Amino acid sequence: MATIVVMPQLGNSVESCIIVEWLVSEGDTVAVDQTLCSIETDKSTMEVPSTDAGTVLKLLWAEGDEVPVKDPLIILGEAGEDISALVPSDSAAEEASAPQDSPEAEVPEAPAPSFATTAASGAVSPRARALAGSKGIDTSSIAEGSGPHGRVIERDVQAVIAQGPAYTSAATQLGGTAASGTGLGGRVTTADLLKPAPQAPAPLAVTSADFPGASTTEKLKGVRKVVAQRMMASLQESAQLTLNTSANAQGLLALRKKLKNAEESLGLGKITLNDLVCYAVVKTLPKYPAFNATLEGLDFTLFEQVHLAFAADTPRGLLVPVIRSAQSLSLKQFSAEAKRLASEAIEGTIAPDYLSGGTFTVTNIGSFGIESFTPVINRPQTAILGVAAITPRPVVTAEGEIGVEQRLGLSLTIDHQVIDGADGARFLKDLVRAIENIDVTVLA
């Protein structure tokens, strides 16, 4: 009997996967746990194993297709087995479009098979909620989602967006149409309906035959698509304020030099300046619970443990691995775990669960010579620290002379909904103290 292998859900936040490469073809015989294809989620690259054995009767998607999780992926069975009841039939559509000899002759349309559950739960996925919030869409207006148990997922919200702008209740009663709205979330208001149609400007004389020149357009997908949505949602859902300061980096540089020259058997030579800064953050956060927290709607959650996320620049785009329970690790353990996660993120083999659950994020672009910047909060977290370059700064010594000091730039972005500016300043002051006395901090 033919069986269907579905696209597995590789993490709580994963809603769809892109098929990178099929490793089997129709007619091949596969065994249980044999790899069927490689896929790319919005976080990593994975392989899909077969959950059954048999002959490949039908590949339901092509390479490059984006497949929702839990949707049918491949059909297995006995060679020559009839699977017409399991896949949509093209013949019905062809017959319906063909000319009819007699008006009485009607060909009933064969219903396409449905694999979705029918019991709606009213649940909304985090990504769908974020997209709906950024576009001003009320998810309760979606009667039933296409996810498991009727869950509203991202593609359901995208379908609503494709239908055009939403209308306010007053605009709906007034009647009429508008291409776009100026209301909250792009809603069409009565003012939009009453606004006179703009006059088309007179065409300008074309001065170049090849204007505007060659270009290419492609849809955002994978990691870049997720980053785009999350950055917009972060700025729209939080009141972000950035504070800038710097710390004397002399202690950091001195300790890094000692660790690099330490006996090889101690395994301390690979500890980096970024490891030391992040470790100082971990030691500072317990004093400021509001910074080690998440805010979702009006739910403000404070965490006892520090799950430190860090931005990783990978060939596939920005990923943010999470060092779990970082406060319980020694400096050596912390550094080793950071390198493991960064390596797996770059290679595309990191488990999706290690790309979520962070309570505070550190992003470091100091290696590019950036002296200060405005990091965007990794929602639903409430704060993020940007680490900039170490640069020489003029200082006045205790003797009143002009000297030069190596300073590390720090940029802290906070969510002003739950963190006041004064608290942000206090956090930075304590963090600077921890960094400038890093040799004591790592022993605490």
PDB file of all heavy atoms in Angstrom, residues 337-377:
ATOM      1  N   GLU A 337      32.045  26.473  23.535  1.00  0.00           N
ATOM      2  CA  GLU A 337      30.665  26.356  23.055  1.00  0.00           C
ATOM      3  C   GLU A 337      30.370  27.412  21.993  1.00  0.00           C
ATOM      4  O   GLU A 337      29.685  27.134  20.995  1.00  0.00           O
ATOM      5  CB  GLU A 337      29.699  26.509  24.236  1.00  0.00           C
ATOM      6  CG  GLU A 337      28.222  26.422  23.869  1.00  0.00           C
ATOM      7  CD  GLU A 337      27.784  25.055  23.390  1.00  0.00           C
ATOM      8  OE1 GLU A 337      28.646  24.153  23.252  1.00  0.00           O
ATOM      9  OE2 GLU A 337      26.573  24.875  23.137  1.00  0.00           O
ATOM     10  N   ALA A 338      30.880  28.619  22.169  1.00  0.00           N
ATOM     11  CA  ALA A 338      30.686  29.668  21.173  1.00  0.00           C
ATOM     12  C   ALA A 338      31.299  29.272  19.828  1.00  0.00           C
ATOM     13  O   ALA A 338      30.694  29.493  18.765  1.00  0.00           O
ATOM     14  CB  ALA A 338      31.288  30.981  21.665  1.00  0.00           C
ATOM     15  N   LYS A 339      32.474  28.668  19.866  1.00  0.00           N
ATOM     16  CA  LYS A 339      33.139  28.269  18.620  1.00  0.00           C
ATOM     17  C   LYS A 339      32.412  27.106  17.961  1.00  0.00           C
ATOM     18  O   LYS A 339      32.321  27.030  16.731  1.00  0.00           O
ATOM     19  CB  LYS A 339      34.597  27.930  18.904  1.00  0.00           C
ATOM     20  CG  LYS A 339      35.442  29.168  19.175  1.00  0.00           C
ATOM     21  CD  LYS A 339      36.836  28.820  19.604  1.00  0.00           C
ATOM     22  CE  LYS A 339      37.644  30.097  19.788  1.00  0.00           C
ATOM     23  NZ  LYS A 339      36.999  31.024  20.743  1.00  0.00           N
ATOM     24  N   ARG A 340      31.889  26.179  18.766  1.00  0.00           N
ATOM     25  CA  ARG A 340      31.135  25.062  18.192  1.00  0.00           C
ATOM     26  C   ARG A 340      29.895  25.570  17.462  1.00  0.00           C
ATOM     27  O   ARG A 340      29.626  25.185  16.308  1.00  0.00           O
ATOM     28  CB  ARG A 340      30.711  24.095  19.297  1.00  0.00           C
ATOM     29  CG  ARG A 340      29.899  22.901  18.788  1.00  0.00           C
ATOM     30  CD  ARG A 340      29.360  22.047  19.916  1.00  0.00           C
ATOM     31  NE  ARG A 340      28.267  22.696  20.626  1.00  0.00           N
ATOM     32  CZ  ARG A 340      27.000  22.665  20.225  1.00  0.00           C
ATOM     33  NH1 ARG A 340      26.666  22.045  19.094  1.00  0.00           N
ATOM     34  NH2 ARG A 340      26.046  23.251  20.938  1.00  0.00           N
ATOM     35  N   LEU A 341      29.145  26.442  18.113  1.00  0.00           N
ATOM     36  CA  LEU A 341      27.916  26.952  17.511  1.00  0.00           C
ATOM     37  C   LEU A 341      28.206  27.804  16.279  1.00  0.00           C
ATOM     38  O   LEU A 341      27.510  27.706  15.261  1.00  0.00           O
ATOM     39  CB  LEU A 341      27.140  27.768  18.551  1.00  0.00           C
ATOM     40  CG  LEU A 341      26.576  26.981  19.737  1.00  0.00           C
ATOM     41  CD1 LEU A 341      26.022  27.919  20.788  1.00  0.00           C
ATOM     42  CD2 LEU A 341      25.503  26.006  19.275  1.00  0.00           C
ATOM     43  N   ALA A 342      29.234  28.642  16.357  1.00  0.00           N
ATOM     44  CA  ALA A 342      29.586  29.491  15.213  1.00  0.00           C
ATOM     45  C   ALA A 342      30.003  28.644  14.018  1.00  0.00           C
ATOM     46  O   ALA A 342      29.616  28.917  12.876  1.00  0.00           O
ATOM     47  CB  ALA A 342      30.698  30.450  15.606  1.00  0.00           C
ATOM     48  N   SER A 343      30.795  27.588  14.271  1.00  0.00           N
ATOM     49  CA  SER A 343      31.249  26.716  13.192  1.00  0.00           C
ATOM     50  C   SER A 343      30.073  26.008  12.526  1.00  0.00           C
ATOM     51  O   SER A 343      29.988  25.945  11.291  1.00  0.00           O
ATOM     52  CB  SER A 343      32.243  25.689  13.742  1.00  0.00           C
ATOM     53  OG  SER A 343      32.625  24.770  12.743  1.00  0.00           O
ATOM     54  N   GLU A 344      29.148  25.490  13.328  1.00  0.00           N
ATOM     55  CA  GLU A 344      27.994  24.790  12.768  1.00  0.00           C
ATOM     56  C   GLU A 344      27.077  25.761  12.014  1.00  0.00           C
ATOM     57  O   GLU A 344      26.475  25.390  10.995  1.00  0.00           O
ATOM     58  CB  GLU A 344      27.221  24.080  13.882  1.00  0.00           C
ATOM     59  CG  GLU A 344      27.994  22.914  14.495  1.00  0.00           C
ATOM     60  CD  GLU A 344      27.209  22.212  15.585  1.00  0.00           C
ATOM     61  OE1 GLU A 344      26.073  22.648  15.890  1.00  0.00           O
ATOM     62  OE2 GLU A 344      27.720  21.224  16.150  1.00  0.00           O
ATOM     63  N   ALA A 345      26.964  26.992  12.512  1.00  0.00           N
ATOM     64  CA  ALA A 345      26.137  27.986  11.818  1.00  0.00           C
ATOM     65  C   ALA A 345      26.725  28.312  10.453  1.00  0.00           C
ATOM     66  O   ALA A 345      26.010  28.417   9.445  1.00  0.00           O
ATOM     67  CB  ALA A 345      26.016  29.246  12.668  1.00  0.00           C
ATOM     68  N   ILE A 346      28.045  28.467  10.380  1.00  0.00           N
ATOM     69  CA  ILE A 346      28.708  28.783   9.123  1.00  0.00           C
ATOM     70  C   ILE A 346      28.604  27.619   8.139  1.00  0.00           C
ATOM     71  O   ILE A 346      28.387  27.808   6.938  1.00  0.00           O
ATOM     72  CB  ILE A 346      30.181  29.150   9.388  1.00  0.00           C
ATOM     73  CG1 ILE A 346      30.262  30.490  10.142  1.00  0.00           C
ATOM     74  CG2 ILE A 346      30.976  29.235   8.080  1.00  0.00           C
ATOM     75  CD1 ILE A 346      31.648  30.836  10.625  1.00  0.00           C
ATOM     76  N   GLU A 347      28.711  26.398   8.656  1.00  0.00           N
ATOM     77  CA  GLU A 347      28.629  25.209   7.795  1.00  0.00           C
ATOM     78  C   GLU A 347      27.199  24.858   7.419  1.00  0.00           C
ATOM     79  O   GLU A 347      26.968  24.051   6.524  1.00  0.00           O
ATOM     80  CB  GLU A 347      29.280  24.021   8.509  1.00  0.00           C
ATOM     81  CG  GLU A 347      30.785  24.178   8.724  1.00  0.00           C
ATOM     82  CD  GLU A 347      31.354  23.086   9.614  1.00  0.00           C
ATOM     83  OE1 GLU A 347      30.564  22.220  10.072  1.00  0.00           O
ATOM     84  OE2 GLU A 347      32.574  23.087   9.858  1.00  0.00           O
ATOM     85  N   GLY A 348      26.222  25.455   8.109  1.00  0.00           N
ATOM     86  CA  GLY A 348      24.823  25.169   7.816  1.00  0.00           C
ATOM     87  C   GLY A 348      24.309  23.899   8.440  1.00  0.00           C
ATOM     88  O   GLY A 348      23.283  23.358   8.007  1.00  0.00           O
ATOM     89  N   THR A 349      25.006  23.385   9.468  1.00  0.00           N
ATOM     90  CA  THR A 349      24.598  22.122  10.090  1.00  0.00           C
ATOM     91  C   THR A 349      24.051  22.307  11.493  1.00  0.00           C
ATOM     92  O   THR A 349      23.763  21.328  12.177  1.00  0.00           O
ATOM     93  CB  THR A 349      25.797  21.159  10.152  1.00  0.00           C
ATOM     94  OG1 THR A 349      26.868  21.766  10.912  1.00  0.00           O
ATOM     95  CG2 THR A 349      26.303  20.832   8.762  1.00  0.00           C
ATOM     96  N   ILE A 350      23.888  23.543  11.952  1.00  0.00           N
ATOM     97  CA  ILE A 350      23.443  23.776  13.316  1.00  0.00           C
ATOM     98  C   ILE A 350      21.987  23.346  13.482  1.00  0.00           C
ATOM     99  O   ILE A 350      21.151  23.542  12.599  1.00  0.00           O
ATOM    100  CB  ILE A 350      23.614  25.264  13.703  1.00  0.00           C
ATOM    101  CG1 ILE A 350      23.355  25.473  15.192  1.00  0.00           C
ATOM    102  CG2 ILE A 350      22.735  26.163  12.855  1.00  0.00           C
ATOM    103  CD1 ILE A 350      23.758  26.839  15.691  1.00  0.00           C
ATOM    104  N   ALA A 351      21.671  22.736  14.622  1.00  0.00           N
ATOM    105  CA  ALA A 351      20.303  22.312  14.911  1.00  0.00           C
ATOM    106  C   ALA A 351      19.423  23.544  15.115  1.00  0.00           C
ATOM    107  O   ALA A 351      19.827  24.488  15.804  1.00  0.00           O
ATOM    108  CB  ALA A 351      20.276  21.436  16.158  1.00  0.00           C
ATOM    109  N   PRO A 352      18.221  23.584  14.543  1.00  0.00           N
ATOM    110  CA  PRO A 352      17.356  24.764  14.664  1.00  0.00           C
ATOM    111  C   PRO A 352      17.082  25.173  16.102  1.00  0.00           C
ATOM    112  O   PRO A 352      16.908  26.361  16.387  1.00  0.00           O
ATOM    113  CB  PRO A 352      16.072  24.327  13.949  1.00  0.00           C
ATOM    114  CG  PRO A 352      16.524  23.310  12.953  1.00  0.00           C
ATOM    115  CD  PRO A 352      17.640  22.570  13.637  1.00  0.00           C
ATOM    116  N   ASP A 353      17.027  24.211  17.025  1.00  0.00           N
ATOM    117  CA  ASP A 353      16.733  24.551  18.418  1.00  0.00           C
ATOM    118  C   ASP A 353      17.801  25.430  19.038  1.00  0.00           C
ATOM    119  O   ASP A 353      17.541  26.132  20.020  1.00  0.00           O
ATOM    120  CB  ASP A 353      16.565  23.272  19.249  1.00  0.00           C
ATOM    121  CG  ASP A 353      15.257  22.554  18.923  1.00  0.00           C
ATOM    122  OD1 ASP A 353      14.381  23.196  18.310  1.00  0.00           O
ATOM    123  OD2 ASP A 353      15.114  21.375  19.270  1.00  0.00           O
ATOM    124  N   TYR A 354      19.015  25.411  18.495  1.00  0.00           N
ATOM    125  CA  TYR A 354      20.094  26.252  19.028  1.00  0.00           C
ATOM    126  C   TYR A 354      20.082  27.650  18.415  1.00  0.00           C
ATOM    127  O   TYR A 354      20.975  28.446  18.678  1.00  0.00           O
ATOM    128  CB  TYR A 354      21.456  25.596  18.784  1.00  0.00           C
ATOM    129  CG  TYR A 354      21.799  24.538  19.808  1.00  0.00           C
ATOM    130  CD1 TYR A 354      21.588  23.187  19.530  1.00  0.00           C
ATOM    131  CD2 TYR A 354      22.316  24.881  21.046  1.00  0.00           C
ATOM    132  CE1 TYR A 354      21.888  22.218  20.466  1.00  0.00           C
ATOM    133  CE2 TYR A 354      22.621  23.915  22.001  1.00  0.00           C
ATOM    134  CZ  TYR A 354      22.399  22.585  21.702  1.00  0.00           C
ATOM    135  OH  TYR A 354      22.701  21.623  22.642  1.00  0.00           O
ATOM    136  N   LEU A 355      19.064  27.930  17.604  1.00  0.00           N
ATOM    137  CA  LEU A 355      18.929  29.253  17.001  1.00  0.00           C
ATOM    138  C   LEU A 355      17.717  29.994  17.564  1.00  0.00           C
ATOM    139  O   LEU A 355      17.229  30.955  16.964  1.00  0.00           O
ATOM    140  CB  LEU A 355      18.815  29.132  15.483  1.00  0.00           C
ATOM    141  CG  LEU A 355      20.073  28.625  14.778  1.00  0.00           C
ATOM    142  CD1 LEU A 355      19.768  28.277  13.334  1.00  0.00           C
ATOM    143  CD2 LEU A 355      21.191  29.649  14.847  1.00  0.00           C
ATOM    144  N   SER A 356      17.228  29.555  18.698  1.00  0.00           N
ATOM    145  CA  SER A 356      16.098  30.219  19.335  1.00  0.00           C
ATOM    146  C   SER A 356      16.224  30.062  20.842  1.00  0.00           C
ATOM    147  O   SER A 356      17.012  29.255  21.330  1.00  0.00           O
ATOM    148  CB  SER A 356      14.769  29.614  18.852  1.00  0.00           C
ATOM    149  OG  SER A 356      14.709  28.233  19.166  1.00  0.00           O
ATOM    150  N   GLY A 357      15.449  30.843  21.578  1.00  0.00           N
ATOM    151  CA  GLY A 357      15.446  30.744  23.031  1.00  0.00           C
ATOM    152  C   GLY A 357      16.418  31.665  23.734  1.00  0.00           C
ATOM    153  O   GLY A 357      16.593  31.566  24.950  1.00  0.00           O
ATOM    154  N   GLY A 358      17.068  32.581  23.000  1.00  0.00           N
ATOM    155  CA  GLY A 358      18.000  33.504  23.631  1.00  0.00           C
ATOM    156  C   GLY A 358      17.286  34.524  24.505  1.00  0.00           C
ATOM    157  O   GLY A 358      16.134  34.882  24.254  1.00  0.00           O
ATOM    158  N   THR A 359      17.978  35.007  25.542  1.00  0.00           N
ATOM    159  CA  THR A 359      17.406  36.012  26.440  1.00  0.00           C
ATOM    160  C   THR A 359      18.120  37.358  26.322  1.00  0.00           C
ATOM    161  O   THR A 359      17.630  38.367  26.836  1.00  0.00           O
ATOM    162  CB  THR A 359      17.470  35.527  27.892  1.00  0.00           C
ATOM    163  OG1 THR A 359      18.829  35.209  28.235  1.00  0.00           O
ATOM    164  CG2 THR A 359      16.609  34.277  28.084  1.00  0.00           C
ATOM    165  N   PHE A 360      19.276  37.410  25.679  1.00  0.00           N
ATOM    166  CA  PHE A 360      20.030  38.646  25.439  1.00  0.00           C
ATOM    167  C   PHE A 360      20.980  38.351  24.288  1.00  0.00           C
ATOM    168  O   PHE A 360      21.479  37.226  24.154  1.00  0.00           O
ATOM    169  CB  PHE A 360      20.815  39.059  26.689  1.00  0.00           C
ATOM    170  CG  PHE A 360      21.517  40.391  26.567  1.00  0.00           C
ATOM    171  CD1 PHE A 360      20.886  41.559  26.978  1.00  0.00           C
ATOM    172  CD2 PHE A 360      22.809  40.494  26.058  1.00  0.00           C
ATOM    173  CE1 PHE A 360      21.521  42.793  26.868  1.00  0.00           C
ATOM    174  CE2 PHE A 360      23.449  41.715  25.938  1.00  0.00           C
ATOM    175  CZ  PHE A 360      22.803  42.874  26.353  1.00  0.00           C
ATOM    176  N   THR A 361      21.235  39.362  23.450  1.00  0.00           N
ATOM    177  CA  THR A 361      22.069  39.147  22.272  1.00  0.00           C
ATOM    178  C   THR A 361      23.245  40.111  22.250  1.00  0.00           C
ATOM    179  O   THR A 361      23.123  41.267  22.652  1.00  0.00           O
ATOM    180  CB  THR A 361      21.238  39.326  20.975  1.00  0.00           C
ATOM    181  OG1 THR A 361      20.213  38.336  20.940  1.00  0.00           O
ATOM    182  CG2 THR A 361      22.113  39.177  19.737  1.00  0.00           C
ATOM    183  N   VAL A 362      24.390  39.600  21.771  1.00  0.00           N
ATOM    184  CA  VAL A 362      25.583  40.419  21.532  1.00  0.00           C
ATOM    185  C   VAL A 362      25.927  40.332  20.050  1.00  0.00           C
ATOM    186  O   VAL A 362      25.960  39.239  19.479  1.00  0.00           O
ATOM    187  CB  VAL A 362      26.780  39.934  22.376  1.00  0.00           C
ATOM    188  CG1 VAL A 362      28.036  40.741  22.018  1.00  0.00           C
ATOM    189  CG2 VAL A 362      26.486  40.059  23.858  1.00  0.00           C
ATOM    190  N   THR A 363      26.158  41.473  19.418  1.00  0.00           N
ATOM    191  CA  THR A 363      26.592  41.501  18.022  1.00  0.00           C
ATOM    192  C   THR A 363      27.880  42.301  17.924  1.00  0.00           C
ATOM    193  O   THR A 363      27.979  43.403  18.464  1.00  0.00           O
ATOM    194  CB  THR A 363      25.503  42.104  17.100  1.00  0.00           C
ATOM    195  OG1 THR A 363      26.020  42.212  15.766  1.00  0.00           O
ATOM    196  CG2 THR A 363      25.050  43.468  17.568  1.00  0.00           C
ATOM    197  N   ASN A 364      28.879  41.742  17.264  1.00  0.00           N
ATOM    198  CA  ASN A 364      30.213  42.347  17.225  1.00  0.00           C
ATOM    199  C   ASN A 364      30.637  42.547  15.768  1.00  0.00           C
ATOM    200  O   ASN A 364      30.824  41.581  15.025  1.00  0.00           O
ATOM    201  CB  ASN A 364      31.218  41.436  17.938  1.00  0.00           C
ATOM    202  CG  ASN A 364      32.584  42.088  18.091  1.00  0.00           C
ATOM    203  OD1 ASN A 364      32.945  42.999  17.362  1.00  0.00           O
ATOM    204  ND2 ASN A 364      33.353  41.608  19.052  1.00  0.00           N
ATOM    205  N   ILE A 365      30.765  43.816  15.365  1.00  0.00           N
ATOM    206  CA  ILE A 365      31.286  44.125  14.022  1.00  0.00           C
ATOM    207  C   ILE A 365      32.523  45.014  14.139  1.00  0.00           C
ATOM    208  O   ILE A 365      32.878  45.738  13.205  1.00  0.00           O
ATOM    209  CB  ILE A 365      30.218  44.786  13.124  1.00  0.00           C
ATOM    210  CG1 ILE A 365      29.602  46.014  13.804  1.00  0.00           C
ATOM    211  CG2 ILE A 365      29.134  43.790  12.760  1.00  0.00           C
ATOM    212  CD1 ILE A 365      28.622  46.762  12.905  1.00  0.00           C
ATOM    213  N   GLY A 366      33.183  44.921  15.283  1.00  0.00           N
ATOM    214  CA  GLY A 366      34.386  45.715  15.505  1.00  0.00           C
ATOM    215  C   GLY A 366      35.523  45.365  14.574  1.00  0.00           C
ATOM    216  O   GLY A 366      36.375  46.209  14.283  1.00  0.00           O
ATOM    217  N   SER A 367      35.549  44.112  14.080  1.00  0.00           N
ATOM    218  CA  SER A 367      36.640  43.704  13.187  1.00  0.00           C
ATOM    219  C   SER A 367      36.624  44.465  11.872  1.00  0.00           C
ATOM    220  O   SER A 367      37.611  44.477  11.140  1.00  0.00           O
ATOM    221  CB  SER A 367      36.545  42.196  12.905  1.00  0.00           C
ATOM    222  OG  SER A 367      35.317  41.880  12.273  1.00  0.00           O
ATOM    223  N   PHE A 368      35.488  45.134  11.556  1.00  0.00           N
ATOM    224  CA  PHE A 368      35.385  45.926  10.331  1.00  0.00           C
ATOM    225  C   PHE A 368      35.767  47.381  10.564  1.00  0.00           C
ATOM    226  O   PHE A 368      35.633  48.216   9.669  1.00  0.00           O
ATOM    227  CB  PHE A 368      33.964  45.852   9.773  1.00  0.00           C
ATOM    228  CG  PHE A 368      33.548  44.471   9.364  1.00  0.00           C
ATOM    229  CD1 PHE A 368      32.752  43.693  10.190  1.00  0.00           C
ATOM    230  CD2 PHE A 368      33.968  43.927   8.160  1.00  0.00           C
ATOM    231  CE1 PHE A 368      32.361  42.417   9.828  1.00  0.00           C
ATOM    232  CE2 PHE A 368      33.585  42.652   7.785  1.00  0.00           C
ATOM    233  CZ  PHE A 368      32.792  41.891   8.622  1.00  0.00           C
ATOM    234  N   GLY A 369      36.199  47.702  11.782  1.00  0.00           N
ATOM    235  CA  GLY A 369      36.612  49.066  12.091  1.00  0.00           C
ATOM    236  C   GLY A 369      35.478  49.988  12.477  1.00  0.00           C
ATOM    237  O   GLY A 369      35.677  51.202  12.592  1.00  0.00           O
ATOM    238  N   ILE A 370      34.287  49.455  12.716  1.00  0.00           N
ATOM    239  CA  ILE A 370      33.128  50.271  13.099  1.00  0.00           C
ATOM    240  C   ILE A 370      33.302  50.747  14.546  1.00  0.00           C
ATOM    241  O   ILE A 370      33.527  49.937  15.444  1.00  0.00           O
ATOM    242  CB  ILE A 370      31.827  49.471  12.950  1.00  0.00           C
ATOM    243  CG1 ILE A 370      31.675  48.954  11.513  1.00  0.00           C
ATOM    244  CG2 ILE A 370      30.628  50.309  13.356  1.00  0.00           C
ATOM    245  CD1 ILE A 370      31.650  50.037  10.469  1.00  0.00           C
ATOM    246  N   GLU A 371      33.146  52.042  14.764  1.00  0.00           N
ATOM    247  CA  GLU A 371      33.385  52.609  16.083  1.00  0.00           C
ATOM    248  C   GLU A 371      32.113  52.701  16.921  1.00  0.00           C
ATOM    249  O   GLU A 371      32.178  52.717  18.152  1.00  0.00           O
ATOM    250  CB  GLU A 371      34.037  53.984  15.954  1.00  0.00           C
ATOM    251  CG  GLU A 371      35.419  53.924  15.291  1.00  0.00           C
ATOM    252  CD  GLU A 371      36.104  55.279  15.249  1.00  0.00           C
ATOM    253  OE1 GLU A 371      35.654  56.205  15.952  1.00  0.00           O
ATOM    254  OE2 GLU A 371      37.096  55.410  14.508  1.00  0.00           O
ATOM    255  N   SER A 372      30.952  52.796  16.304  1.00  0.00           N
ATOM    256  CA  SER A 372      29.669  52.759  17.012  1.00  0.00           C
ATOM    257  C   SER A 372      28.581  52.478  15.993  1.00  0.00           C
ATOM    258  O   SER A 372      28.738  52.788  14.804  1.00  0.00           O
ATOM    259  CB  SER A 372      29.385  54.073  17.755  1.00  0.00           C
ATOM    260  OG  SER A 372      29.163  55.127  16.832  1.00  0.00           O
ATOM    261  N   PHE A 373      27.471  51.906  16.446  1.00  0.00           N
ATOM    262  CA  PHE A 373      26.361  51.610  15.539  1.00  0.00           C
ATOM    263  C   PHE A 373      25.092  51.429  16.361  1.00  0.00           C
ATOM    264  O   PHE A 373      25.111  51.540  17.587  1.00  0.00           O
ATOM    265  CB  PHE A 373      26.659  50.380  14.672  1.00  0.00           C
ATOM    266  CG  PHE A 373      26.912  49.098  15.427  1.00  0.00           C
ATOM    267  CD1 PHE A 373      25.950  48.095  15.478  1.00  0.00           C
ATOM    268  CD2 PHE A 373      28.131  48.877  16.069  1.00  0.00           C
ATOM    269  CE1 PHE A 373      26.192  46.907  16.145  1.00  0.00           C
ATOM    270  CE2 PHE A 373      28.374  47.684  16.741  1.00  0.00           C
ATOM    271  CZ  PHE A 373      27.405  46.696  16.777  1.00  0.00           C
ATOM    272  N   THR A 374      23.993  51.174  15.677  1.00  0.00           N
ATOM    273  CA  THR A 374      22.702  51.016  16.344  1.00  0.00           C
ATOM    274  C   THR A 374      22.184  49.608  16.114  1.00  0.00           C
ATOM    275  O   THR A 374      21.501  49.349  15.110  1.00  0.00           O
ATOM    276  CB  THR A 374      21.681  52.045  15.805  1.00  0.00           C
ATOM    277  OG1 THR A 374      22.228  53.353  15.916  1.00  0.00           O
ATOM    278  CG2 THR A 374      20.377  51.985  16.579  1.00  0.00           C
ATOM    279  N   PRO A 375      22.507  48.669  16.991  1.00  0.00           N
ATOM    280  CA  PRO A 375      21.999  47.310  16.809  1.00  0.00           C
ATOM    281  C   PRO A 375      20.485  47.247  16.998  1.00  0.00           C
ATOM    282  O   PRO A 375      19.920  47.992  17.797  1.00  0.00           O
ATOM    283  CB  PRO A 375      22.732  46.513  17.900  1.00  0.00           C
ATOM    284  CG  PRO A 375      23.119  47.525  18.929  1.00  0.00           C
ATOM    285  CD  PRO A 375      23.341  48.807  18.194  1.00  0.00           C
ATOM    286  N   VAL A 376      19.829  46.381  16.235  1.00  0.00           N
ATOM    287  CA  VAL A 376      18.377  46.212  16.307  1.00  0.00           C
ATOM    288  C   VAL A 376      18.068  45.040  17.231  1.00  0.00           C
ATOM    289  O   VAL A 376      18.664  43.962  17.107  1.00  0.00           O
ATOM    290  CB  VAL A 376      17.781  45.965  14.911  1.00  0.00           C
ATOM    291  CG1 VAL A 376      16.275  45.735  14.995  1.00  0.00           C
ATOM    292  CG2 VAL A 376      18.083  47.141  14.001  1.00  0.00           C
ATOM    293  N   ILE A 377      17.143  45.257  18.157  1.00  0.00           N
ATOM    294  CA  ILE A 377      16.812  44.237  19.161  1.00  0.00           C
ATOM    295  C   ILE A 377      16.316  42.964  18.490  1.00  0.00           C
ATOM    296  O   ILE A 377      15.513  42.995  17.550  1.00  0.00           O
ATOM    297  CB  ILE A 377      15.758  44.781  20.142  1.00  0.00           C
ATOM    298  CG1 ILE A 377      16.361  45.914  20.981  1.00  0.00           C
ATOM    299  CG2 ILE A 377      15.239  43.669  21.051  1.00  0.00           C
ATOM    300  CD1 ILE A 377      15.372  46.596  21.906  1.00  0.00           C
TER     301      ILE A 377
END
